Amino acid sequence: MLEWRRRREPSKTMLYLSPLIAIGLTMLTGMLVFGAIGFDGLRAVTAIFITPLIEPQRWADLGVKAAPLIMIALGLAIGFRANVWNIGAEGQYVMGAIAGTGVALLTHDMTGWWILPAMALAGILGGAAWAALPALLKVRLQVSEILTSLMLTYVAVQFLYYLVRGPWKDPDGFNFPQTKMFSGSQTLPAVAEGSLVHFGVPLAILLALIAWFVMSKTVAGYAVRVVGRAPAAARHGGFDASRVTWATLLAGGGLAGLAGLFEAAGPFGQLTPQFPVGYGFTAIIVAFLGRLSPPGIVFGALVLAVTYVGGEIAQSTVRLPSAATGMFQALLLFFLLATDVLVRYRLAWKARPARSAP
Amino acid sequence: MSTIITRRTLLAGAAASSALPLVGAQAQAPFGVGFIYVGPVGDHGWSWTHDQGRKALEKEYGNKIKTSFIENVAEGPDAVRAIRQLAQAGDQLIFTTSFGFMNPTIQVAKQFPKIRFEHATGYQRAENVATYNARFYEGRAVIGTLAGHMSKSGQAGYIASFPIPEVVMGINAFHLAAKKVNPNFKTKVIWASTWYDPAKEADAAKALIDQGCDVISQHTDSPAALQAAEQRGVFAFGQASDMKAFAPKAQLSAIVDDWSGYYIKRVKEAMDGSWKSGDVWGGIKDGMVKLAPYNDAVTPAARAAADELQKGIVAGTIHPFTGELKDQKGTLRLKAGETATDEMLSKMDWYVDGVQA
Amino acid sequence: MTAAILVSIFMTLAAAATPILLAALGELVTEKAGVLNLGVEGMMLCGAVAGFAVTYSTGSVPLGLLAATLAGVAAAMIFALLTLGLGSNQVATGLALTIFGIGASSLIGAGFVGRTITRLGPLFPADYAAHPWLRLVFGHDAIVYLSLALVLAVSLFLRRTKAGLILRAVGENADSAHAIGYRVLAIRTAATAFGGALAGLGGAYFSLALTPMWADRLTAGRGWIALALVVFAAWKPGRLLAGAYLFGAVATFELQAKAAGWSFIAPEVLAMTPYLATIVVLTMMSLGGRTGGRDAPACLGKPFPAS
């Protein structure tokens, strides 16, 4: 009989290898399952996982889709490292977009280089403010941030609905629930003339580098990790858990808010009820795919972006229903989460009848 | 908006040039027709009706064409990507079937000048972008006539989604027709604030029935309201397709969206080169809006009135919006004998007297 | 307002509350054991489609309900395998389970769109409910009574039985429970399975009773409301019952008010109230002499053994 044995140290090899194992298992399972129910399994898997990577004209799509996921997941991962479970990034993302759009609507008739930075600042503040409430309740009253941040997400989404159907509705929009389109000064520029890729994409990569530096090379990053791993030792060492809670939630909210503003001022160009597409929730998954490390998050966001883009390719070429691409994503996540165990445990032959599994 | 479009247009060069050879290479291959749906084809509502149209195309043209679709596409940047995916995959005529795909369609169309696009329910057109919509209000007028005849309480319930012109003109057309039959007719509207939430739609129907409505009409997607009407023993109307299976006793008739005729015609034009951009609003006359067979419960008088209205609409002698027409505030909207222009309809944001919205 | 209308409103309200009550009650037991399963919506959809598919194919509602329960358990077991068996993060796994449920139910249900069945009818013969006031008591379907019985059963189980005490101990302090010799993972798996069973049943209430049909995403987000409700109820079955019926009442009265021509509140404001109320309740619990600590299972969402 095989049994799981806990490793003394997490395996570095498995840390990098396990996501690849998971992707391999997903492709295999997907091929078999969808083959069995009457689809061309091999073509489906190729369309979802390979085509987006080998066709250069899809790369811009991947970047645009991955950028908000990277930004949000970076902030979340910092919190998760400190055992701060902000799962309301979707709400912070929406509030960031709302705050930034507020600035956009106020400055709609103006032009100037300062408008976009002001919108970005408002986005950061909006997201951070929405994360401040869970932080306050957590630090002062020990209320679980998992629950408060999740609840606030629904509040933010309903607030968005209220604004776009009510006071912010475009007066020239035939009563359709949406704001005015942003003006040129309010729109995120592209990285190069004629490119789909907006300024937020390289910024997301830059932020990942900064996050990586802060988390692994600075005292602040060390404090976050210590508070997360050994709260008692952290108190001993003079690290203030409350401050870490505040800092990580505000950073996570701010990044999510900035991502929201970039999405509003970039690909959307306005706010509509369709604005929240679940990036905040998907980013939680991205953070775990990336094993909470910034380089891993960039990888994880790309993997998810591939499945989105590839899913559409599979729909139009193999006629795979969109539900099936959802299943592919779920399978991938299940396998990625499952293979995480390989980092901490290894399979070994059972020596003698022993206690239960992990 | 224009700034974004111009900025995006600049990439037309790169993307289009890589796509064009594809189109050329497939000249002998089946003609590619693509569809973008906002919902899943399994919604049995709006997206489902468009997919029925796609299936009719396949039946009509067999292997001369090849259809493909992407469902569940969010209205926003994802739509841009999905439409572009179809364009790059070699589709030469692409139908985008929801209002929120308007800007994305225009955007992608500029990158692919050789590909034809058709956007449902929008108002922005281009050389290679046509728009189309159905005069659902004609169907609403017919079921309003039935409601006026069949309601004993003189009160109809109307489950509506959002107050956009499409929905508002439907409510008004329904009510005006019912009021012609019964001058004291009342139409009570519940805004469900959703296109699709079966349990809520059913509860809204029940609330309206509790408040004395004995005919239920709806402008939301699911058959749940009909099921509630069936359970409570009142009448109702199907939406988008014949929903008789869900409510054999309650459904008096249904407004059936039938896009197949339009799709078949446009694909033919695109194949033989006669396709032109334009704006088509098809109604009962064009077969785009149909009425499901009346229920046996429909009285001869109601049947005759509804048939007569249908005939009048087809012949062009009757327009559901004919003056003199005042809104609730008493503002004169149409002078006696005047009929509403399409522009007036597509911007409608007022209610006629007797509507409680 | 006549008595008949009031009775009718209550019947609508009870029907609206029941599926949320069921799903939330299951989640409550799961959370009491220290497991946070955010996949309620996904499990409900699995139950809804399985229930409809089996009832449509066999013509039997009881078989459909059984299938729905089993489908909910099966979905919950994926979650248990990953989080309890392999120690994956509960939040991420729960979200993945929701994505899975939406996709799986849509695939399975594709062949059933546009079909219908005879809805689950009242449990008692119509004569019992002839008088409007008697309808309040005898007019409901079996699931409504079952949900009320389950609230009582869960409440007694958690407070009065040894097994309930053990379950709570596992949720409060898994390490101590383990040290005394309780099988933490087995108990948590059982609690997760119970949560899945009731979520599946709650989902089937949509496809078999409320709106007898299958369409994609039939439950339209009720699973998330169930999650909020558990917290709103401070993990107490009695309050959960009150909360679910309060939710049903607010939703029903909103529609009644609109039908009567009163609109006094923006629908968006109304839609956000359950969530705001939950935050307020959490805050009040904490302010009110730290009783909050006793209500929320201390180990909620934390893996065992700690990693």
Side-chain angles (χ1 to χ4, degrees):
Chain A
M1 274 288 279
L2 283 165
E3 66 166 356
W4 293 106
R5 293 245 181 90
R6 192 166 191 132
R7 298 177 193 272
R8 270 190 219 104
E9 296 249 310
S11 160
K12 271 258 152 50
T13 322
M14 276 302 160
L15 193 63
Y16 297 116
L17 202 57
S18 61
L20 300 177
I21 295 175
I23 293 171
L25 284 172
T26 308
M27 291 167 71
L28 195 67
T29 317
M31 225 181 307
L32 293 175
V33 171
F34 289 106
I37 59 174
F39 293 100
D40 187 338
L42 180 67
R43 274 186 68 205
V45 168
T46 314
I48 293 181
F49 290 97
I50 312 290
T51 315
L53 290 171
I54 58 172
E55 290 188 356
Q57 73 257 37
R58 312 274 178 221
W59 294 348
D61 290 329
L62 295 181
V64 171
K65 197 79 187 164
L69 290 173
I70 294 172
M71 287 170 67
I72 302 170
L74 285 173
L76 293 181
I78 295 171
F80 294 168
R81 283 280 178 103
N83 251 330
V84 174
W85 297 100
N86 172 14
I87 61 171
E90 181 77 0
Q92 295 142 23
Y93 170 84
V94 167
M95 288 309 278
I98 287 177
T101 302
V103 173
L105 293 179
L106 283 175
T107 59
H108 204 265
D109 301 325
M110 304 179 207
T111 50
W113 61 269
W114 54 272
I115 292 178
L116 203 53
M119 285 165 61
L121 185 66
I124 294 172
L125 292 177
W130 212 238
L133 194 58
L136 180 74
L137 291 172
K138 165 90 172 178
V139 167
R140 288 291 170 84
L141 299 169
Q142 283 80 49
V143 177
S144 163
E145 74 284 9
I146 298 184
L147 302 169
T148 47
S149 61
L150 179 64
M151 300 299 131
L152 282 173
T153 294
Y154 297 104
V155 178
V157 170
Q158 291 297 332
F159 185 51
L160 167 75
Y161 289 168
Y162 170 74
L163 288 174
V164 297
R165 291 174 195 161
W168 283 8
K169 190 166 58 184
D170 181 0
D172 304 322
F174 302 117
N175 237 2
F176 275 92
Q178 54 195 30
T179 67
K180 280 185 219 172
M181 295 293 288
F182 296 168
S183 72
S185 307
Q186 298 168 332
T187 308
L188 213 52
V191 285
E193 282 294 317
S195 172
L196 261 187
V197 181
H198 60 77
F199 181 68
V201 180
L203 192 77
I205 308 285
L206 182 69
L207 284 168
L209 284 172
I210 294 172
W212 171 79
F213 179 79
V214 170
M215 285 304 287
S216 54
K217 307 283 177 198
T218 66
V219 181
Y222 181 67
V224 166
R225 279 178 290 142
V226 171
V227 166
R229 228 180 267 162
R235 270 196 298 281
H236 243 43
F239 295 116
D240 182 349
S242 296
R243 274 179 64 188
V244 169
T245 301
W246 271 109
T248 54
L249 270 167
L250 290 180
L255 276 169
L258 185 65
L261 179 273
F262 277 7
E263 199 66 8
F268 269 89
Q270 68 184 144
L271 273 190
T272 74
Q274 287 79 30
F275 181 75
V277 287
Y279 280 133
F281 292 113
T282 313
I284 296 173
I285 292 159
V286 167
F288 281 98
L289 299 192
R291 311 291 189 224
L292 305 186
S293 82
I297 283 169
V298 174
F299 169 80
L302 275 175
V303 169
L304 273 172
V306 165
T307 62
Y308 281 118
V309 173
E312 287 156 8
I313 298 174
Q315 280 194 56
S316 75
T317 57
V318 196
R319 288 234 176 135
L320 202 66
S322 83
T325 69
M327 291 282 285
F328 264 102
Q329 281 185 338
L331 274 178
L332 177 65
L333 304 175
F334 285 153
F335 280 123
L336 275 158
L337 292 162
T339 52
D340 198 22
V341 74
L342 297 169
V343 180
R344 288 167 291 126
Y345 292 86
R346 66 194 170 89
L347 275 172
W349 291 102
K350 216 170 198 170
R352 56 193 161 89
R355 298 170 300 113
S356 57
Chain B
M1 153 179 12
S2 59
T3 49
I4 289 188
I5 290 173
T6 28
R7 179 167 296 126
R8 295 280 163 71
T9 331
L10 295 171
L11 71 109
S17 61
S18 67
L20 286 180
L22 255 177
V23 176
Q26 295 198 345
Q28 292 306 311
F31 187 82
V33 185
F35 289 83
I36 301 282
Y37 303 136
V38 67
V41 294
D43 68 357
H44 207 262
W46 180 254
S47 295
W48 185 82
T49 64
H50 286 281
D51 201 51
Q52 294 301 308
R54 183 187 63 79
K55 286 182 176 155
L57 275 179
E58 287 193 328
K59 209 169 147 202
E60 176 79 18
Y61 295 113
N63 52 17
K64 272 194 274 183
I65 63 164
K66 187 182 145 296
T67 68
S68 54
F69 66 89
I70 303 183
E71 60 180 335
N72 253 337
V73 177
E75 297 174 319
D78 287 341
V80 177
R81 198 179 59 240
I83 300 168
R84 191 151 32 83
Q85 155 65 22
L86 290 184
Q88 286 170 338
D91 285 338
Q92 294 153 74
L93 178 63
I94 296 172
F95 294 92
T96 58
T97 61
S98 182
F99 176 80
F101 298 150
M102 181 165 69
N103 292 328
T105 305
I106 296 287
Q107 221 170 300
V108 178
K110 290 201 176 172
Q111 298 163 23
F112 297 92
K114 292 273 167 76
I115 296 177
R116 279 88 178 233
F117 296 83
E118 299 245 2
H119 175 238
T121 74
Y123 52 83
Q124 283 195 53
R125 280 168 290 281
E127 190 82 343
N128 60 336
V129 183
T131 52
Y132 63 105
N133 199 357
R135 298 182 186 274
F136 297 114
Y137 66 89
E138 294 179 354
R140 302 260 170 213
V142 177
I143 65 170
T145 306
L146 290 174
H149 278 278
M150 298 300 291
S151 170
K152 293 200 172 66
S153 67
Q155 288 187 58
Y158 202 112
I159 304 161
S161 49
F162 300 102
I164 54 173
E166 174 72 48
V167 177
V168 173
M169 79 174 99
I171 293 170
N172 285 336
F174 175 87
H175 182 76
L176 283 172
K179 211 165 96 171
K180 272 213 184 94
V181 182
N182 175 358
N184 296 318
F185 201 81
K186 289 268 178 306
T187 300
K188 294 182 171 181
V189 181
I190 285 189
W191 296 106
S193 298
T194 177
W195 287 104
Y196 176 79
D197 181 341
K200 188 175 187 183
E201 293 168 48
D203 286 353
K206 289 181 201 165
L208 288 163
I209 297 165
D210 285 342
Q211 300 282 343
C213 302
D214 58 0
V215 182
I216 301 294
S217 180
Q218 65 176 39
H219 204 143
T220 50
D221 274 350
S222 90
L226 277 138
Q227 291 182 320
E230 179 88 2
Q231 193 187 13
R232 293 288 189 91
V234 304
F235 294 124
F237 298 100
Q239 159 82 2
S241 62
D242 190 342
M243 293 178 167
K244 194 175 174 209
F246 291 98
K249 289 201 204 97
Q251 180 182 293
L252 289 176
S253 180
I255 300 174
V256 178
D257 309 0
D258 186 353
W259 306 101
S260 54
Y262 181 72
Y263 287 164
I264 288 170
K265 176 167 169 275
R266 295 300 269 176
V267 167
K268 180 170 171 293
E269 289 171 358
M271 284 197 290
D272 68 22
S274 62
W275 188 96
K276 279 204 174 56
S277 172
D279 181 31
V280 169
W281 258 33
I284 294 176
K285 186 177 158 207
D286 316 85
M288 214 184 246
V289 178
K290 288 184 173 144
L291 273 299
Y294 304 140
N295 189 325
D296 290 341
V298 175
T299 58
R303 198 177 286 260
D307 282 342
E308 194 190 339
L309 176 61
Q310 281 203 61
K311 273 190 210 121
I313 289 172
V314 170
T317 52
I318 303 178
H319 191 293
F321 290 96
T322 304
E324 187 192 71
L325 198 56
K326 283 183 182 161
D327 66 16
Q328 286 183 334
K329 289 173 191 144
T331 314
L332 186 72
R333 294 292 182 167
L334 287 173
K335 288 188 214 117
E338 197 184 13
T339 57
T341 60
D342 285 357
E343 199 201 342
M344 179 181 190
L345 291 173
S346 64
K347 290 179 181 170
M348 193 174 278
D349 60 356
W350 43 267
Y351 300 95
V352 293
D353 209 25
V355 173
Q356 173 199 298
Chain C
M1 230 183 262
T2 66
I5 292 183
L6 278 176
V7 171
S8 169
I9 291 175
F10 182 78
M11 302 300 285
T12 308
L13 178 170
T18 297
I20 298 167
L21 176 62
L22 281 169
L25 192 63
E27 179 70 11
L28 182 145
V29 171
T30 306
E31 290 189 12
K32 270 291 182 188
V35 180
L36 178 66
N37 183 354
L38 295 183
V40 180
E41 178 82 358
M43 298 190 295
M44 286 179 90
L45 283 167
C46 288
V49 76
F52 187 83
V54 168
T55 299
Y56 182 79
S57 309
T58 64
S60 158
V61 172
L63 274 182
L65 291 172
L66 181 70
T69 311
L70 292 178
V73 172
M77 284 303 97
I78 299 176
F79 177 86
L81 176 73
L82 289 167
T83 58
L84 304 173
L86 300 173
S88 71
N89 179 273
Q90 294 181 4
V91 169
T93 312
L95 293 173
L97 186 64
T98 297
I99 300 176
F100 173 83
I102 292 172
S105 61
S106 170
L107 273 186
I108 296 168
F112 297 95
V113 169
R115 300 170 197 277
T116 186
I117 49 160
T118 312
R119 81 171 69 216
L120 178 63
L123 180 63
F124 297 104
D127 324 347
Y128 283 62
H131 189 276
W133 294 112
L134 283 178
R135 262 187 85 201
L136 288 182
V137 185
F138 294 113
H140 303 280
D141 57 60
I143 307 295
V144 173
Y145 300 109
L146 177 69
S147 69
L148 298 176
L150 279 168
V151 170
L152 189 66
V154 166
S155 178
L156 290 176
F157 169 79
L158 287 175
R159 283 188 303 149
R160 298 289 167 82
T161 66
K162 181 149 184 258
L165 185 71
I166 296 170
L167 183 120
R168 282 190 290 144
V170 165
E172 277 314 317
N173 193 334
D175 291 329
S176 309
H178 177 69
I180 313 171
Y182 294 127
R183 296 175 60 200
V184 172
L185 292 177
I187 292 162
R188 286 190 169 175
T189 305
T192 307
F194 183 76
L198 289 205
L201 200 58
Y205 195 72
F206 285 91
S207 61
L208 300 182
L210 279 180
T211 52
M213 61 170 176
W214 169 255
D216 275 29
R217 299 183 197 199
L218 186 70
T219 52
R222 299 299 189 292
W224 299 103
I225 291 175
L227 273 168
L229 201 59
V230 177
V231 185
F232 177 78
W235 293 271
K236 291 190 168 85
R239 282 204 214 173
L240 195 68
L241 177 68
Y245 275 73
L246 181 66
F247 170 82
V250 171
T252 309
F253 280 116
E254 186 213 0
L255 292 172
Q256 289 286 346
K258 280 181 181 166
W262 312 324
S263 59
F264 47 93
I265 191 165
E268 295 86 7
V269 176
L270 206 63
M272 64 171 78
T273 38
Y275 305 106
L276 281 174
T278 303
I279 294 173
V280 171
V281 166
L282 276 172
T283 310
M284 303 280 279
M285 267 162 35
S286 261
L287 282 174
R290 299 257 173 270
T291 52
R294 266 216 319 270
D295 294 327
C299 286
L300 186 60
K302 292 183 185 148
F304 176 86
S307 56

